Amino acid sequence: MNLILAANLVSVEPGLIFWKSLTFLLLLFLLYKFAWKPILQALKEREESIDTSLRRAERALAEARQIQAENERIRREAEQEAQRILREAREEAERLRQEELQKTRVQIQQMQAQARAEIEREKQGALDELRAVVADLAIQAAEKILRESLDADRQRRLVERFLESLPASKN
């Protein structure tokens, strides 16, 4: 402490206090006159810009939430639409499969009917041919019988011989 007193650093001098106070007041006056209003104005502008930015950020956040909700709704609708389209495609595929199956059945039935008709025609043709052959044979047999006037016993033998001469039919 003696050192501080010896350096005369703590001594009170009224002239120095006056000039320091006057300088301080002059500095306050100059700050108030020239710097205080611009500083307050800058702080006010900064506060307003921060407030504006916060309001914009809140609006942007609200818009983002709204867009997110809208996107979610659109996504759900798209999923539902995709499910509906998929279900309709499956139903259409099943319907087409059933139609093709029915068409195939009808074609098979038509082919079977045609085959039966063809078999029947062939059978009828064979029967007609057989009748013609039998008629020719009967005519030939009658011709032979008529050429020879024979008694019943001879006619029977003649018919038996004729029948023996026919090729044996396979049943």
Side-chain angles (χ1 to χ4, degrees):
M1 181 88 158
N2 287 340
L3 214 52
I4 296 175
L5 290 176
N8 205 10
L9 292 176
V10 193
S11 64
V12 179
E13 293 185 25
L16 186 61
I17 290 176
F18 171 75
W19 287 111
K20 284 184 179 181
S21 298
L22 184 65
T23 306
F24 180 71
L25 290 174
L26 183 63
L27 178 65
L28 281 178
F29 175 74
L30 288 175
L31 282 176
Y32 177 76
K33 187 75 172 166
F34 297 108
W36 192 256
K37 287 184 183 178
I39 289 173
L40 286 179
Q41 183 65 28
L43 286 175
K44 186 177 180 183
E45 288 174 2
R46 177 75 177 146
E47 181 183 349
E48 288 174 358
S49 81
I50 289 172
D51 189 43
T52 304
S53 296
L54 283 174
R55 277 185 267 135
R56 275 194 223 137
E58 287 173 357
R59 277 194 307 258
L61 181 61
E63 287 176 12
R65 286 182 180 150
Q66 184 180 7
I67 289 170
Q68 183 181 12
E70 181 70 17
N71 287 343
E72 183 65 25
R73 183 187 62 78
I74 290 170
R75 184 191 60 80
R76 281 193 309 269
E77 288 175 0
E79 284 178 357
Q80 290 172 351
E81 182 68 14
Q83 291 295 327
R84 183 188 63 78
I85 289 171
L86 186 61
R87 184 177 57 251
E88 287 175 359
R90 285 182 184 147
E91 290 170 357
E92 182 66 17
E94 180 62 23
R95 185 187 63 77
L96 288 174
R97 188 182 74 79
Q98 290 297 329
E99 281 181 10
E100 288 301 316
L101 187 61
Q102 186 62 28
K103 285 179 185 178
T104 303
R105 286 180 182 152
V106 167
Q107 287 176 346
I108 289 172
Q109 289 172 352
Q110 288 174 346
M111 291 170 66
Q112 286 175 340
Q114 289 174 350
R116 285 187 193 113
E118 182 68 25
I119 290 170
E120 189 60 35
R121 277 193 301 274
E122 292 291 325
K123 179 180 167 185
Q124 194 61 40
L127 285 175
D128 290 343
E129 188 177 329
L130 181 63
R131 282 188 189 115
V133 169
V134 168
D136 286 343
L137 291 176
I139 290 172
Q140 288 175 3
E143 211 174 272
K144 284 185 181 180
I145 292 173
L146 289 175
R147 281 191 199 145
E148 298 178 19
S149 292
L150 305 174
D151 61 357
D153 198 26
R154 282 182 88 190
Q155 285 179 359
R156 227 179 274 122
R157 275 184 274 141
L158 184 63
V159 169
E160 285 174 6
R161 267 188 274 140
F162 176 73
L163 290 175
E164 288 174 7
S165 70
L166 290 178
S169 66
K170 295 182 182 178
N171 290 340

